[in-house]
Amino acid sequence: MRLLLTLLFSLCLMNAVFTQSQSAIDGTYQVEGIECIIDFNDGEAKFHFNPNLCITSYSILDSTQIRFQNSKACTKICCDDELDILFIKKTTHYQYYKLKNNNLYLYGTDTLLLINKAKK
């Protein structure tokens, strides 16, 4: 019985850490170099381009790992800029994240992206 309670307590602690990590990056960020704002909220990332909006999901795997899903839903109001298209395609390359000061770093094996927390 004691082993079962210890196991349940450990699972609850792991879930609490995961939940905290999942919401750790929640917020609005301005991407440097292109006109894009990203809203991270509870596993959903909204990429606000000019003029289109793309939405994809992400998962926080631990305190440094992130996984963006391949599927993206984008509006098609008008023409997308080539940098916007390249940027949205590269999201699956970002496997890790780091929060430092009001900056969010997304990076993979050969990519690095710095985005700043948007001021309210």
Side-chain angles (χ1 to χ4, degrees):
M1 184 67 170
R2 176 176 261 175
L3 179 62
L4 179 61
L5 288 175
T6 304
L7 180 61
L8 285 174
F9 181 71
S10 297
L11 287 173
C12 288
L13 283 177
M14 286 177 15
N15 188 40
V17 169
F18 174 78
T19 303
Q20 182 179 5
S21 297
Q22 184 69 27
S23 63
I25 67 170
D26 282 1
T28 301
Y29 298 85
Q30 172 69 49
V31 179
E32 292 294 314
I34 63 173
E35 289 189 35
C36 178
I37 294 176
I38 306 174
D39 288 322
F40 287 98
N41 187 12
D42 197 27
E44 183 177 80
K46 294 181 181 178
F47 298 83
H48 300 270
F49 297 108
N50 190 9
N52 294 309
L53 167 71
C54 294
I55 301 172
T56 191
S57 57
Y58 67 91
S59 300
I60 300 295
L61 305 178
D62 64 29
S63 63
T64 62
Q65 288 188 299
I66 188 169
R67 179 181 299 142
F68 287 93
Q69 309 308 321
N70 283 329
S71 60
K72 296 164 193 69
C74 296
T75 59
K76 192 65 176 169
I77 298 170
C78 182
C79 30
D80 288 311
D81 184 274
E82 288 180 27
L83 284 176
D84 296 348
I85 295 167
L86 179 63
F87 175 71
I88 200 71
K89 285 181 180 179
K90 291 204 62 97
T91 56
T92 56
H93 293 253
Y94 301 124
Q95 302 161 339
Y96 304 97
Y97 75 95
K98 179 180 179 181
L99 287 168
K100 186 174 180 182
N101 298 326
N102 282 322
N103 298 320
L104 173 63
Y105 298 84
L106 296 173
Y107 55 99
T109 53
D110 63 346
T111 57
L112 173 66
L113 175 68
L114 165 65
I115 54 180
N116 300 309
K117 190 122 187 186
K119 296 176 176 48
K120 293 182 180 184

